[in-house]
Structure formats: structure tokens, C-alpha cells
Amino acid sequence: MRETLATIYETKDMTDMNCKTIFKASKLLLVLMLLQVSACTGQVKEKTVSDKTEDEVSDKDLTIKQNTIFPQIHTNLNGMVRQFVRTIHQDRKGNYWFGTNGDGIIRYDGQTLDKIHIVGISPHIRVLEIVEDKAGNVWFGTSDGLVKYDGQKFETFSITEGEKGFDEEIWGLAIDKNELLWVGSIGGLYHFDGDQFIPFPLPNTMVENLEHKLSDKLVKKIIEDKSGAIWLVTDGNGIFKYIKGEFTHLTTENGLTDNNTADILEDSQGNIWIGTYYGGVSKFNGKTFTNFTKDGIVEGIETYNFHEDSNGNVWFTAEGYGVYRYDGISFTHFTTENGLTTNVVQSIFEDNKGQLWFGTWQGLCIFDGEKFVNANEIETWTN
């Protein structure tokens, strides 16, 4: 599928859809809606809020407008979330930070659940990534630039001077072992020194027939592996590996399953897990790729949201197919039959209690070891 159903309804997150793709997306959306209707039976729905913004999808073929929000069967943090939580972080003080898809930043400090209001930033920003440095500063990559919280106040940083534009949207955010902040935006890759953004250009090499979703300059995900190498997931141009001043370009020409990569993770064994939009999920051991989707082990060609839990299990989502867990030997597949309200999951996170949180299109849930339950059944403060 050309786009995830989640990104179909996000602002500016889809370009150049063809009719075949739209038909497939509509067909899958209909199936999900039917699943959601059946999941609602006998349960109380929380009040939902209409989305007043129009989500532009394509400037060539079609514009899809979102006028309704799926009913939140699981908690939506006291009605603060209209759509879904796309990223979660718990800082060293124990504060929970929820990055939403259009409702800004929400924090739970152990006493109060608050929606954060930051001067100069729209309350409807999307929060795409959250990281924390050694000093305890929490950094947010958002659709409206970079945000820093130092424990007392919030500070914003703009990549471009003057009026903020599309290039401000930050998807990739990582802090390496030297405490260098890497920033991947629509406009390109940068280092941030605490004061200014320093461009860090990638090689000019491009795959043939590159088809990006947002920008051929975008770096969507950034990680540093155990050897100190930086892995850079691009928008349609495969993956770049950077170490000691040299780049290695991974594409379908040398084993990557798909040049439209979506997510990346290094597990505790040193394996690199790669999720893509059209090629499913694969594992790279440094020499060869194993494509579990092509081998028929994993369903769904669109995979991301990788997370390794404290027991060494690797979790990830397959768009429209729920969640998978890999224990080092085999995969376990979880769907609505295991308690998920929908098979579209947008975030996975483990807190300091060992609880696994899942942000779905229909609210937050927690995995209790066997099944998924409404988060407010376990964490009553989310009511």
C-alpha cells in the first residue's frame, strides 16, 4: 500500500497516490471500520471531537478530507486526544510525555495530566519524536520545529528564519554518545548545537525512480548503533550508514527489501531491524537481509514502530494487521482478537514499571502479559 492509513489522514503526509492505491486504502479502511463497529458492542464510547482541519493528501490526484474521528473506545487521556498518540516517553524523573497526532504535547507528572501550551506554537502540532539528553532535557521533534523542556520551561527553535514553513517539520531526532543532537526535517539533516542548526548534507547518490512521500531531503528516523555508526532512514532513498566520516548507501540493489523505509531499530544482539512501506519487515545482521514478510512469516507490507522490551522481545506493528512480537526464535501475532480495539497501532513504549503501552487509532492500551486492556483499567490517572 502506497501510504499507511494513518498517514493518509495526516496533513501533507501523502503525495502522488494513484487510483489503485486509493482503492486499496479505501477497501482496508472499510474493513477497519467494520472491526471497530464490532469492537464497540457493549462498551461505552468516550465523547469525540470533530477535526476542523482539512488534511490535504495529494496536489495532483485527490484531496481527502477528515471530518470525523474514530470513536475512542480506550482512554484518550481525559478527552485530550482526538486522534492518536504517536510517540511516548518517560523521563528520568518518571514523567510521562505523550506526543499526539495533532493535539500537541500531553504530560503526566505523577499528580496532574496536562496539555502543554507553548507560546508561539499551535496547540494542534503533531509530535513526531521525543528524546532526552544526559542533562535531563527533553526534546520534541514536531510539525512546528524543535522544542526543548529543561525541567522548568519550554523553549522553541526554528530551522528557518522568519515565517515558519513546511521545512520546519521534524521527523528524525536522536542524541548520540557524544551528546550531539541529530535532527532530520523535511528540509534536510542537521546537527543542533543548542543555538543553531548546522546542515549535515547526505551524499548526492539517489536510487532510480525515487518516489518520496514528503521530500527527497527528509531523514525520517535516526539511530546510533553499538559501534557508533549513525543509521539514517530517508524518504524513498533507502538508508545511509555513517561512521568515521564515510557513508554506506543501502538500497534494493544491495539487499534492502524496499527503498521506502519507515523505521529502524538495533536490538540487543546487534541486529538491525528495518520496517518499510512496501517490503515488510527484515533483519540485517551486517551482511545479509532476512525478509520475514517475503517468507510469509509476517503479514502486512507496511511495518514500523519497533521497540525492544526489557526481556529482549522485539515488537513492531504491521499496518492493518496488528502487532508482532519476536522472542528470538518465533513471532507471536496479536490482533483485535487479543484485545486490540483496532489493528492500526501507531506507537509502542515500555515504562519504568515494565508496562508496554500501545497507542492505537482508538485510544491507549496496555499489554498485561497475555492480552491488551484499556490503559485506564491499570493506570486510573488516564481516566
Side-chain angles (χ1 to χ4, degrees), residues 306-351:
F306 290 99
H307 178 82
E308 184 175 14
D309 66 26
S310 54
N311 294 317
N313 299 304
V314 174
W315 296 77
F316 60 91
T317 64
E319 183 76 1
Y321 292 87
V323 176
Y324 282 89
R325 180 184 66 194
Y326 179 69
D327 63 5
I329 300 175
S330 61
F331 291 86
T332 302
H333 189 196
F334 300 95
T335 66
T336 52
E337 294 181 358
N338 306 103
L340 285 172
T341 59
T342 169
N343 289 325
V344 182
V345 178
Q346 293 299 310
S347 57
I348 304 175
F349 175 76
E350 183 178 15
D351 65 17

mmCIF file of all heavy atoms in Angstrom, residues 306-351:
data_model
loop_
_atom_site.group_PDB
_atom_site.id
_atom_site.type_symbol
_atom_site.label_atom_id
_atom_site.label_comp_id
_atom_site.label_asym_id
_atom_site.label_seq_id
_atom_site.Cartn_x
_atom_site.Cartn_y
_atom_site.Cartn_z
ATOM 1 N N PHE A 306 9.123 -0.037 15.865
ATOM 2 C CA PHE A 306 9.924 -1.068 16.528
ATOM 3 C C PHE A 306 10.235 -0.685 17.973
ATOM 4 O O PHE A 306 10.514 0.466 18.289
ATOM 5 C CB PHE A 306 11.239 -1.280 15.783
ATOM 6 C CG PHE A 306 11.072 -1.950 14.451
ATOM 7 C CD1 PHE A 306 11.062 -1.207 13.281
ATOM 8 C CD2 PHE A 306 10.909 -3.320 14.378
ATOM 9 C CE1 PHE A 306 10.897 -1.815 12.052
ATOM 10 C CE2 PHE A 306 10.755 -3.947 13.154
ATOM 11 C CZ PHE A 306 10.749 -3.189 11.983
ATOM 12 N N HIS A 307 10.211 -1.694 18.841
ATOM 13 C CA HIS A 307 10.577 -1.472 20.238
ATOM 14 C C HIS A 307 11.066 -2.797 20.821
ATOM 15 O O HIS A 307 10.426 -3.830 20.651
ATOM 16 C CB HIS A 307 9.381 -0.980 21.054
ATOM 17 C CG HIS A 307 9.706 -0.780 22.507
ATOM 18 N ND1 HIS A 307 10.317 0.361 22.964
ATOM 19 C CD2 HIS A 307 9.538 -1.585 23.586
ATOM 20 C CE1 HIS A 307 10.493 0.266 24.270
ATOM 21 N NE2 HIS A 307 10.035 -0.904 24.681
ATOM 22 N N GLU A 308 12.215 -2.756 21.494
ATOM 23 C CA GLU A 308 12.707 -3.945 22.191
ATOM 24 C C GLU A 308 12.417 -3.776 23.671
ATOM 25 O O GLU A 308 12.833 -2.792 24.294
ATOM 26 C CB GLU A 308 14.205 -4.149 21.972
ATOM 27 C CG GLU A 308 14.709 -5.441 22.624
ATOM 28 C CD GLU A 308 16.169 -5.734 22.334
ATOM 29 O OE1 GLU A 308 16.877 -4.818 21.849
ATOM 30 O OE2 GLU A 308 16.614 -6.870 22.590
ATOM 31 N N ASP A 309 11.699 -4.740 24.264
ATOM 32 C CA ASP A 309 11.343 -4.615 25.672
ATOM 33 C C ASP A 309 12.473 -5.100 26.577
ATOM 34 O O ASP A 309 13.522 -5.551 26.115
ATOM 35 C CB ASP A 309 10.021 -5.340 25.970
ATOM 36 C CG ASP A 309 10.094 -6.858 25.806
ATOM 37 O OD1 ASP A 309 11.190 -7.441 25.953
ATOM 38 O OD2 ASP A 309 9.037 -7.471 25.544
ATOM 39 N N SER A 310 12.263 -4.991 27.880
ATOM 40 C CA SER A 310 13.305 -5.321 28.852
ATOM 41 C C SER A 310 13.636 -6.806 28.880
ATOM 42 O O SER A 310 14.648 -7.202 29.464
ATOM 43 C CB SER A 310 12.872 -4.857 30.245
ATOM 44 O OG SER A 310 11.605 -5.394 30.586
ATOM 45 N N ASN A 311 12.806 -7.637 28.266
ATOM 46 C CA ASN A 311 13.066 -9.075 28.188
ATOM 47 C C ASN A 311 13.723 -9.478 26.877
ATOM 48 O O ASN A 311 13.946 -10.672 26.634
ATOM 49 C CB ASN A 311 11.761 -9.860 28.367
ATOM 50 C CG ASN A 311 11.167 -9.697 29.751
ATOM 51 O OD1 ASN A 311 11.887 -9.745 30.749
ATOM 52 N ND2 ASN A 311 9.862 -9.486 29.831
ATOM 53 N N GLY A 312 14.016 -8.495 26.030
ATOM 54 C CA GLY A 312 14.683 -8.781 24.765
ATOM 55 C C GLY A 312 13.750 -9.124 23.623
ATOM 56 O O GLY A 312 14.212 -9.494 22.538
ATOM 57 N N ASN A 313 12.449 -8.984 23.842
ATOM 58 C CA ASN A 313 11.492 -9.211 22.752
ATOM 59 C C ASN A 313 11.430 -7.979 21.853
ATOM 60 O O ASN A 313 11.405 -6.848 22.341
ATOM 61 C CB ASN A 313 10.089 -9.479 23.308
ATOM 62 C CG ASN A 313 10.033 -10.704 24.186
ATOM 63 O OD1 ASN A 313 10.402 -11.802 23.773
ATOM 64 N ND2 ASN A 313 9.569 -10.524 25.419
ATOM 65 N N VAL A 314 11.386 -8.216 20.564
ATOM 66 C CA VAL A 314 11.255 -7.125 19.601
ATOM 67 C C VAL A 314 9.798 -7.043 19.157
ATOM 68 O O VAL A 314 9.227 -8.020 18.664
ATOM 69 C CB VAL A 314 12.163 -7.329 18.379
ATOM 70 C CG1 VAL A 314 11.907 -6.256 17.321
ATOM 71 C CG2 VAL A 314 13.631 -7.303 18.799
ATOM 72 N N TRP A 315 9.200 -5.870 19.350
ATOM 73 C CA TRP A 315 7.812 -5.620 18.970
ATOM 74 C C TRP A 315 7.778 -4.676 17.770
ATOM 75 O O TRP A 315 8.624 -3.806 17.624
ATOM 76 C CB TRP A 315 7.050 -4.958 20.112
ATOM 77 C CG TRP A 315 6.904 -5.777 21.358
ATOM 78 C CD1 TRP A 315 7.852 -6.010 22.312
ATOM 79 C CD2 TRP A 315 5.725 -6.459 21.804
ATOM 80 N NE1 TRP A 315 7.342 -6.787 23.322
ATOM 81 C CE2 TRP A 315 6.029 -7.068 23.041
ATOM 82 C CE3 TRP A 315 4.425 -6.593 21.289
ATOM 83 C CZ2 TRP A 315 5.094 -7.818 23.754
ATOM 84 C CZ3 TRP A 315 3.494 -7.329 21.990
ATOM 85 C CH2 TRP A 315 3.828 -7.942 23.212
ATOM 86 N N PHE A 316 6.779 -4.833 16.932
ATOM 87 C CA PHE A 316 6.557 -3.874 15.844
ATOM 88 C C PHE A 316 5.125 -4.010 15.341
ATOM 89 O O PHE A 316 4.428 -4.977 15.654
ATOM 90 C CB PHE A 316 7.549 -4.095 14.693
ATOM 91 C CG PHE A 316 7.488 -5.450 14.053
ATOM 92 C CD1 PHE A 316 6.662 -5.705 12.965
ATOM 93 C CD2 PHE A 316 8.277 -6.498 14.531
ATOM 94 C CE1 PHE A 316 6.612 -6.964 12.373
ATOM 95 C CE2 PHE A 316 8.229 -7.759 13.949
ATOM 96 C CZ PHE A 316 7.394 -7.992 12.867
ATOM 97 N N THR A 317 4.690 -3.029 14.595
ATOM 98 C CA THR A 317 3.337 -3.039 14.062
ATOM 99 C C THR A 317 3.364 -3.293 12.560
ATOM 100 O O THR A 317 4.314 -2.919 11.868
ATOM 101 C CB THR A 317 2.624 -1.703 14.322
ATOM 102 O OG1 THR A 317 3.309 -0.654 13.623
ATOM 103 C CG2 THR A 317 2.620 -1.369 15.804
ATOM 104 N N ALA A 318 2.303 -3.914 12.087
ATOM 105 C CA ALA A 318 2.078 -4.104 10.650
ATOM 106 C C ALA A 318 0.748 -3.427 10.335
ATOM 107 O O ALA A 318 -0.287 -3.815 10.880
ATOM 108 C CB ALA A 318 2.037 -5.587 10.292
ATOM 109 N N GLU A 319 0.788 -2.404 9.511
ATOM 110 C CA GLU A 319 -0.390 -1.590 9.260
ATOM 111 C C GLU A 319 -1.598 -2.421 8.842
ATOM 112 O O GLU A 319 -1.584 -3.110 7.820
ATOM 113 C CB GLU A 319 -0.078 -0.557 8.178
ATOM 114 C CG GLU A 319 -1.191 0.409 7.860
ATOM 115 C CD GLU A 319 -1.340 1.480 8.928
ATOM 116 O OE1 GLU A 319 -0.570 1.485 9.897
ATOM 117 O OE2 GLU A 319 -2.233 2.311 8.769
ATOM 118 N N GLY A 320 -2.646 -2.376 9.646
ATOM 119 C CA GLY A 320 -3.864 -3.116 9.352
ATOM 120 C C GLY A 320 -3.851 -4.554 9.820
ATOM 121 O O GLY A 320 -4.876 -5.245 9.735
ATOM 122 N N TYR A 321 -2.698 -5.015 10.335
ATOM 123 C CA TYR A 321 -2.567 -6.412 10.767
ATOM 124 C C TYR A 321 -2.220 -6.552 12.239
ATOM 125 O O TYR A 321 -1.910 -7.648 12.703
ATOM 126 C CB TYR A 321 -1.514 -7.130 9.907
ATOM 127 C CG TYR A 321 -1.940 -7.311 8.469
ATOM 128 C CD1 TYR A 321 -1.696 -6.310 7.533
ATOM 129 C CD2 TYR A 321 -2.586 -8.472 8.047
ATOM 130 C CE1 TYR A 321 -2.089 -6.459 6.206
ATOM 131 C CE2 TYR A 321 -2.975 -8.626 6.727
ATOM 132 C CZ TYR A 321 -2.724 -7.615 5.813
ATOM 133 O OH TYR A 321 -3.122 -7.774 4.500
ATOM 134 N N GLY A 322 -2.227 -5.461 12.982
ATOM 135 C CA GLY A 322 -1.959 -5.547 14.406
ATOM 136 C C GLY A 322 -0.497 -5.454 14.776
ATOM 137 O O GLY A 322 0.273 -4.707 14.168
ATOM 138 N N VAL A 323 -0.098 -6.254 15.763
ATOM 139 C CA VAL A 323 1.225 -6.160 16.378
ATOM 140 C C VAL A 323 1.906 -7.529 16.372
ATOM 141 O O VAL A 323 1.251 -8.562 16.552
ATOM 142 C CB VAL A 323 1.107 -5.659 17.837
ATOM 143 C CG1 VAL A 323 2.449 -5.646 18.529
ATOM 144 C CG2 VAL A 323 0.470 -4.271 17.869
ATOM 145 N N TYR A 324 3.228 -7.511 16.185
ATOM 146 C CA TYR A 324 4.029 -8.741 16.252
ATOM 147 C C TYR A 324 5.052 -8.630 17.377
ATOM 148 O O TYR A 324 5.560 -7.552 17.678
ATOM 149 C CB TYR A 324 4.773 -8.982 14.933
ATOM 150 C CG TYR A 324 3.900 -9.546 13.835
ATOM 151 C CD1 TYR A 324 3.199 -8.706 12.983
ATOM 152 C CD2 TYR A 324 3.769 -10.918 13.656
ATOM 153 C CE1 TYR A 324 2.400 -9.207 11.972
ATOM 154 C CE2 TYR A 324 2.980 -11.442 12.653
ATOM 155 C CZ TYR A 324 2.294 -10.586 11.816
ATOM 156 O OH TYR A 324 1.499 -11.092 10.821
ATOM 157 N N ARG A 325 5.363 -9.783 17.977
ATOM 158 C CA ARG A 325 6.425 -9.883 18.981
ATOM 159 C C ARG A 325 7.364 -11.007 18.580
ATOM 160 O O ARG A 325 6.931 -12.116 18.282
ATOM 161 C CB ARG A 325 5.825 -10.175 20.364
ATOM 162 C CG ARG A 325 6.881 -10.297 21.470
ATOM 163 C CD ARG A 325 6.236 -10.672 22.797
ATOM 164 N NE ARG A 325 5.667 -12.010 22.748
ATOM 165 C CZ ARG A 325 4.806 -12.504 23.650
ATOM 166 N NH1 ARG A 325 4.404 -11.760 24.652
ATOM 167 N NH2 ARG A 325 4.331 -13.729 23.527
ATOM 168 N N TYR A 326 8.650 -10.698 18.569
ATOM 169 C CA TYR A 326 9.662 -11.693 18.216
ATOM 170 C C TYR A 326 10.518 -11.972 19.441
ATOM 171 O O TYR A 326 11.119 -11.064 20.022
ATOM 172 C CB TYR A 326 10.541 -11.172 17.075
ATOM 173 C CG TYR A 326 11.636 -12.123 16.654
ATOM 174 C CD1 TYR A 326 11.343 -13.318 16.009
ATOM 175 C CD2 TYR A 326 12.980 -11.817 16.921
ATOM 176 C CE1 TYR A 326 12.349 -14.184 15.615
ATOM 177 C CE2 TYR A 326 13.993 -12.679 16.532
ATOM 178 C CZ TYR A 326 13.671 -13.868 15.882
ATOM 179 O OH TYR A 326 14.659 -14.736 15.511
ATOM 180 N N ASP A 327 10.578 -13.220 19.872
ATOM 181 C CA ASP A 327 11.289 -13.586 21.100
ATOM 182 C C ASP A 327 12.683 -14.143 20.852
ATOM 183 O O ASP A 327 13.313 -14.672 21.766
ATOM 184 C CB ASP A 327 10.465 -14.587 21.903
ATOM 185 C CG ASP A 327 10.240 -15.902 21.169
ATOM 186 O OD1 ASP A 327 10.807 -16.098 20.063
ATOM 187 O OD2 ASP A 327 9.488 -16.755 21.693
ATOM 188 N N GLY A 328 13.157 -14.001 19.636
ATOM 189 C CA GLY A 328 14.477 -14.532 19.273
ATOM 190 C C GLY A 328 14.389 -15.843 18.530
ATOM 191 O O GLY A 328 15.366 -16.283 17.908
ATOM 192 N N ILE A 329 13.211 -16.470 18.591
ATOM 193 C CA ILE A 329 13.007 -17.752 17.911
ATOM 194 C C ILE A 329 11.825 -17.688 16.953
ATOM 195 O O ILE A 329 11.919 -18.096 15.803
ATOM 196 C CB ILE A 329 12.776 -18.885 18.943
ATOM 197 C CG1 ILE A 329 13.994 -19.011 19.859
ATOM 198 C CG2 ILE A 329 12.494 -20.206 18.218
ATOM 199 C CD1 ILE A 329 13.802 -20.032 20.974
ATOM 200 N N SER A 330 10.713 -17.161 17.445
ATOM 201 C CA SER A 330 9.496 -17.142 16.644
ATOM 202 C C SER A 330 8.700 -15.867 16.875
ATOM 203 O O SER A 330 8.954 -15.120 17.818
ATOM 204 C CB SER A 330 8.625 -18.360 16.965
ATOM 205 O OG SER A 330 8.243 -18.341 18.337
ATOM 206 N N PHE A 331 7.726 -15.645 15.988
ATOM 207 C CA PHE A 331 6.870 -14.474 16.066
ATOM 208 C C PHE A 331 5.511 -14.848 16.663
ATOM 209 O O PHE A 331 4.965 -15.907 16.365
ATOM 210 C CB PHE A 331 6.629 -13.884 14.668
ATOM 211 C CG PHE A 331 7.842 -13.264 14.055
ATOM 212 C CD1 PHE A 331 8.747 -14.041 13.342
ATOM 213 C CD2 PHE A 331 8.094 -11.905 14.178
ATOM 214 C CE1 PHE A 331 9.872 -13.474 12.765
ATOM 215 C CE2 PHE A 331 9.204 -11.326 13.596
ATOM 216 C CZ PHE A 331 10.096 -12.109 12.900
ATOM 217 N N THR A 332 4.979 -13.957 17.498
ATOM 218 C CA THR A 332 3.611 -14.081 18.001
ATOM 219 C C THR A 332 2.822 -12.906 17.456
ATOM 220 O O THR A 332 3.268 -11.761 17.532
ATOM 221 C CB THR A 332 3.569 -14.060 19.540
ATOM 222 O OG1 THR A 332 4.380 -15.122 20.047
ATOM 223 C CG2 THR A 332 2.136 -14.236 20.030
ATOM 224 N N HIS A 333 1.656 -13.211 16.907
ATOM 225 C CA HIS A 333 0.834 -12.199 16.252
ATOM 226 C C HIS A 333 -0.342 -11.821 17.148
ATOM 227 O O HIS A 333 -1.074 -12.687 17.624
ATOM 228 C CB HIS A 333 0.323 -12.761 14.916
ATOM 229 C CG HIS A 333 -0.345 -11.757 14.045
ATOM 230 N ND1 HIS A 333 -1.136 -12.114 12.977
ATOM 231 C CD2 HIS A 333 -0.349 -10.389 14.082
ATOM 232 C CE1 HIS A 333 -1.599 -11.013 12.395
ATOM 233 N NE2 HIS A 333 -1.134 -9.973 13.039
ATOM 234 N N PHE A 334 -0.530 -10.511 17.384
ATOM 235 C CA PHE A 334 -1.633 -10.018 18.208
ATOM 236 C C PHE A 334 -2.547 -9.122 17.364
ATOM 237 O O PHE A 334 -2.066 -8.261 16.614
ATOM 238 C CB PHE A 334 -1.099 -9.198 19.393
ATOM 239 C CG PHE A 334 -0.195 -9.959 20.314
ATOM 240 C CD1 PHE A 334 1.186 -9.904 20.165
ATOM 241 C CD2 PHE A 334 -0.726 -10.732 21.338
ATOM 242 C CE1 PHE A 334 2.031 -10.595 21.023
ATOM 243 C CE2 PHE A 334 0.109 -11.430 22.208
ATOM 244 C CZ PHE A 334 1.483 -11.372 22.048
ATOM 245 N N THR A 335 -3.856 -9.333 17.497
ATOM 246 C CA THR A 335 -4.836 -8.559 16.744
ATOM 247 C C THR A 335 -5.988 -8.162 17.663
ATOM 248 O O THR A 335 -5.888 -8.256 18.886
ATOM 249 C CB THR A 335 -5.386 -9.373 15.562
ATOM 250 O OG1 THR A 335 -6.147 -10.487 16.080
ATOM 251 C CG2 THR A 335 -4.254 -9.906 14.688
ATOM 252 N N THR A 336 -7.092 -7.757 17.064
ATOM 253 C CA THR A 336 -8.283 -7.412 17.845
ATOM 254 C C THR A 336 -8.784 -8.608 18.648
ATOM 255 O O THR A 336 -9.463 -8.430 19.668
ATOM 256 C CB THR A 336 -9.407 -6.919 16.916
ATOM 257 O OG1 THR A 336 -9.618 -7.868 15.866
ATOM 258 C CG2 THR A 336 -9.046 -5.568 16.306
ATOM 259 N N GLU A 337 -8.461 -9.801 18.223
ATOM 260 C CA GLU A 337 -8.878 -10.992 18.970
ATOM 261 C C GLU A 337 -8.159 -11.095 20.310
ATOM 262 O O GLU A 337 -8.604 -11.823 21.204
ATOM 263 C CB GLU A 337 -8.616 -12.252 18.147
ATOM 264 C CG GLU A 337 -9.467 -12.335 16.883
ATOM 265 C CD GLU A 337 -9.207 -13.609 16.100
ATOM 266 O OE1 GLU A 337 -8.335 -14.403 16.538
ATOM 267 O OE2 GLU A 337 -9.864 -13.819 15.067
ATOM 268 N N ASN A 338 -7.062 -10.344 20.445
ATOM 269 C CA ASN A 338 -6.291 -10.350 21.700
ATOM 270 C C ASN A 338 -6.504 -9.081 22.517
ATOM 271 O O ASN A 338 -5.752 -8.815 23.452
ATOM 272 C CB ASN A 338 -4.798 -10.509 21.392
ATOM 273 C CG ASN A 338 -4.507 -11.718 20.527
ATOM 274 O OD1 ASN A 338 -4.268 -11.573 19.325
ATOM 275 N ND2 ASN A 338 -4.543 -12.904 21.117
ATOM 276 N N GLY A 339 -7.540 -8.318 22.165
ATOM 277 C CA GLY A 339 -7.869 -7.143 22.952
ATOM 278 C C GLY A 339 -7.621 -5.808 22.295
ATOM 279 O O GLY A 339 -8.076 -4.775 22.800
ATOM 280 N N LEU A 340 -6.873 -5.779 21.178
ATOM 281 C CA LEU A 340 -6.695 -4.518 20.472
ATOM 282 C C LEU A 340 -8.052 -4.036 19.960
ATOM 283 O O LEU A 340 -8.847 -4.834 19.454
ATOM 284 C CB LEU A 340 -5.736 -4.687 19.285
ATOM 285 C CG LEU A 340 -4.246 -4.819 19.594
ATOM 286 C CD1 LEU A 340 -3.475 -5.178 18.338
ATOM 287 C CD2 LEU A 340 -3.698 -3.529 20.193
ATOM 288 N N THR A 341 -8.313 -2.747 20.080
ATOM 289 C CA THR A 341 -9.579 -2.225 19.567
ATOM 290 C C THR A 341 -9.530 -2.059 18.056
ATOM 291 O O THR A 341 -10.560 -1.991 17.393
ATOM 292 C CB THR A 341 -9.903 -0.859 20.198
ATOM 293 O OG1 THR A 341 -8.844 0.043 19.906
ATOM 294 C CG2 THR A 341 -10.056 -0.996 21.697
ATOM 295 N N THR A 342 -8.343 -1.974 17.522
ATOM 296 C CA THR A 342 -8.132 -1.846 16.090
ATOM 297 C C THR A 342 -6.772 -2.431 15.750
ATOM 298 O O THR A 342 -5.875 -2.471 16.593
ATOM 299 C CB THR A 342 -8.192 -0.374 15.639
ATOM 300 O OG1 THR A 342 -7.738 -0.263 14.279
ATOM 301 C CG2 THR A 342 -7.299 0.495 16.504
ATOM 302 N N ASN A 343 -6.606 -2.886 14.527
ATOM 303 C CA ASN A 343 -5.322 -3.432 14.099
ATOM 304 C C ASN A 343 -4.382 -2.366 13.549
ATOM 305 O O ASN A 343 -3.362 -2.684 12.944
ATOM 306 C CB ASN A 343 -5.548 -4.522 13.055
ATOM 307 C CG ASN A 343 -6.140 -5.779 13.665
ATOM 308 O OD1 ASN A 343 -5.828 -6.136 14.793
ATOM 309 N ND2 ASN A 343 -7.008 -6.451 12.931
ATOM 310 N N VAL A 344 -4.734 -1.104 13.753
ATOM 311 C CA VAL A 344 -3.864 0.004 13.364
ATOM 312 C C VAL A 344 -3.266 0.603 14.632
ATOM 313 O O VAL A 344 -3.953 1.249 15.411
ATOM 314 C CB VAL A 344 -4.631 1.072 12.570
ATOM 315 C CG1 VAL A 344 -3.673 2.189 12.140
ATOM 316 C CG2 VAL A 344 -5.299 0.460 11.345
ATOM 317 N N VAL A 345 -1.979 0.375 14.841
ATOM 318 C CA VAL A 345 -1.279 0.813 16.047
ATOM 319 C C VAL A 345 -0.171 1.784 15.635
ATOM 320 O O VAL A 345 0.568 1.525 14.690
ATOM 321 C CB VAL A 345 -0.676 -0.384 16.809
ATOM 322 C CG1 VAL A 345 0.084 0.072 18.036
ATOM 323 C CG2 VAL A 345 -1.784 -1.376 17.195
ATOM 324 N N GLN A 346 -0.052 2.886 16.354
ATOM 325 C CA GLN A 346 0.873 3.949 15.957
ATOM 326 C C GLN A 346 2.068 4.147 16.885
ATOM 327 O O GLN A 346 2.979 4.896 16.548
ATOM 328 C CB GLN A 346 0.104 5.268 15.847
ATOM 329 C CG GLN A 346 -0.904 5.280 14.721
ATOM 330 C CD GLN A 346 -0.262 5.096 13.366
ATOM 331 O OE1 GLN A 346 0.702 5.774 13.032
ATOM 332 N NE2 GLN A 346 -0.776 4.177 12.584
ATOM 333 N N SER A 347 2.083 3.520 18.052
ATOM 334 C CA SER A 347 3.230 3.680 18.941
ATOM 335 C C SER A 347 3.314 2.531 19.935
ATOM 336 O O SER A 347 2.291 1.932 20.291
ATOM 337 C CB SER A 347 3.137 5.013 19.706
ATOM 338 O OG SER A 347 1.930 5.112 20.439
ATOM 339 N N ILE A 348 4.539 2.214 20.347
ATOM 340 C CA ILE A 348 4.800 1.176 21.348
ATOM 341 C C ILE A 348 5.850 1.727 22.305
ATOM 342 O O ILE A 348 6.862 2.298 21.885
ATOM 343 C CB ILE A 348 5.322 -0.116 20.704
ATOM 344 C CG1 ILE A 348 4.346 -0.630 19.643
ATOM 345 C CG2 ILE A 348 5.549 -1.197 21.770
ATOM 346 C CD1 ILE A 348 4.865 -1.843 18.868
ATOM 347 N N PHE A 349 5.615 1.555 23.615
ATOM 348 C CA PHE A 349 6.563 2.082 24.594
ATOM 349 C C PHE A 349 6.482 1.271 25.881
ATOM 350 O O PHE A 349 5.407 0.867 26.316
ATOM 351 C CB PHE A 349 6.252 3.554 24.905
ATOM 352 C CG PHE A 349 7.103 4.128 25.998
ATOM 353 C CD1 PHE A 349 8.416 4.477 25.751
ATOM 354 C CD2 PHE A 349 6.598 4.293 27.280
ATOM 355 C CE1 PHE A 349 9.224 4.995 26.752
ATOM 356 C CE2 PHE A 349 7.391 4.806 28.288
ATOM 357 C CZ PHE A 349 8.705 5.156 28.028
ATOM 358 N N GLU A 350 7.647 1.038 26.523
ATOM 359 C CA GLU A 350 7.696 0.360 27.820
ATOM 360 C C GLU A 350 8.086 1.361 28.899
ATOM 361 O O GLU A 350 9.108 2.046 28.783
ATOM 362 C CB GLU A 350 8.695 -0.791 27.791
ATOM 363 C CG GLU A 350 8.732 -1.576 29.103
ATOM 364 C CD GLU A 350 9.697 -2.752 29.042
ATOM 365 O OE1 GLU A 350 10.533 -2.800 28.113
ATOM 366 O OE2 GLU A 350 9.617 -3.629 29.927
ATOM 367 N N ASP A 351 7.272 1.465 29.963
ATOM 368 C CA ASP A 351 7.581 2.418 31.032
ATOM 369 C C ASP A 351 8.477 1.781 32.094
ATOM 370 O O ASP A 351 8.893 0.624 31.972
ATOM 371 C CB ASP A 351 6.301 2.992 31.641
ATOM 372 C CG ASP A 351 5.450 1.945 32.362
ATOM 373 O OD1 ASP A 351 5.966 0.859 32.682
ATOM 374 O OD2 ASP A 351 4.256 2.224 32.613
#
